[in-house]
Amino acid sequence: KEEFIEVMTDEFSKHSIPYTTTNIKTLDEGAVKELKRLSKPGRRNIIIPKSSSAATMTELAAILSNAHYENPDFMSNCTLFGYPEWQKHAPMAKDQLYLIDTYFYTNLYTPFSFKESMEFQDEFIRWYNRPLNEIIPRYGMMGYDIGYYFLYAINEYGNEFPDRINDVEFSP
């Protein structure tokens, strides 16, 4: 993750976006004090850990959610930046990650609290008499979306499908 952070800080510098780095070795209340000291009031403060491990995620989630209850004004300006690997571990700390405004990048995220996601899962069970596999990413959902996209496009445009691929309107 160090290369990622190096590229990101280079981009911050290139675009004159202020940033501060710190090397917090222990995730404890002292870490929260250090983050408060470095934060800029009135600005969004984004916390980007150097590690994408499950241990880092759960420790940060615990410490920052406690900070949220103790210092809601400070935490209202903080966002935790997470990593795609966290999808596998997010259920362990789902409520805490939500509470502390966590974002992680991925092109395969499924928001299971959305009505559409729940409806899809219910329909899957109805059709196949079993739940979706508990893996991340949810290939069952992705496969459905991809299959639906192509079947819809071929039905709509027939042999012209390859030439009309950009005309396909699709909402997964």
Side-chain angles (χ1 to χ4, degrees):
K1 300 306 174 194
E2 297 213 11
E3 183 180 323
F4 169 77
I5 290 174
E6 184 179 318
V7 168
M8 185 172 278
T9 54
D10 287 348
E11 287 296 312
F12 289 161
S13 296
K14 190 186 317 181
H15 296 286
S16 301
I17 298 171
Y19 69 92
T20 306
T21 60
T22 187
N23 195 7
I24 298 172
K25 298 263 187 217
T26 308
L27 294 171
D28 58 13
E29 294 308 313
V32 174
K33 287 179 184 167
E34 176 69 358
L35 292 173
K36 282 179 77 171
R37 185 183 70 74
L38 294 172
S39 70
K40 303 291 182 216
R43 297 194 69 154
R44 172 69 43 201
N45 294 279
I46 302 171
I47 301 163
I48 305 172
K50 283 187 174 182
S51 170
S52 62
S53 73
T56 298
M57 182 201 74
T58 53
E59 287 180 52
L60 272 171
I63 293 296
L64 294 175
S65 62
N66 285 341
H68 172 82
Y69 290 116
E70 293 171 13
N71 301 289
D73 291 338
F74 163 66
M75 288 304 296
S76 69
N77 287 326
C78 289
T79 296
L80 176 61
F81 178 89
Y83 296 99
E85 300 90 326
W86 288 11
Q87 286 186 94
K88 293 183 282 190
H89 312 294
M92 291 187 283
K94 181 178 81 174
D95 293 337
Q96 292 172 321
L97 293 172
Y98 180 79
L99 178 71
I100 58 176
D101 196 30
T102 303
Y103 291 84
F104 48 92
Y105 62 95
T106 179
N107 60 351
L108 299 172
Y109 177 71
T110 301
F112 292 106
S113 60
F114 284 16
K115 183 182 103 177
E116 295 83 359
S117 297
M118 289 188 273
E119 288 171 354
F120 179 89
Q121 291 179 91
D122 291 344
E123 281 296 304
F124 187 94
I125 292 168
R126 192 172 73 74
W127 276 85
Y128 301 105
N129 296 315
R130 67 176 188 82
L132 285 163
N133 291 338
E134 290 289 327
I135 58 171
I136 294 178
R138 293 290 175 117
Y139 290 113
M141 289 182 157
M142 185 173 72
Y144 175 85
D145 287 345
I146 292 169
Y148 184 88
Y149 173 85
F150 282 102
L151 291 171
Y152 172 82
I154 290 168
N155 183 58
E156 189 74 17
Y157 300 112
N159 292 339
E160 295 177 22
F161 162 64
D163 299 325
R164 305 281 308 269
I165 197 162
N166 293 327
D167 297 336
V168 177
E169 292 183 24
F170 177 70
S171 177

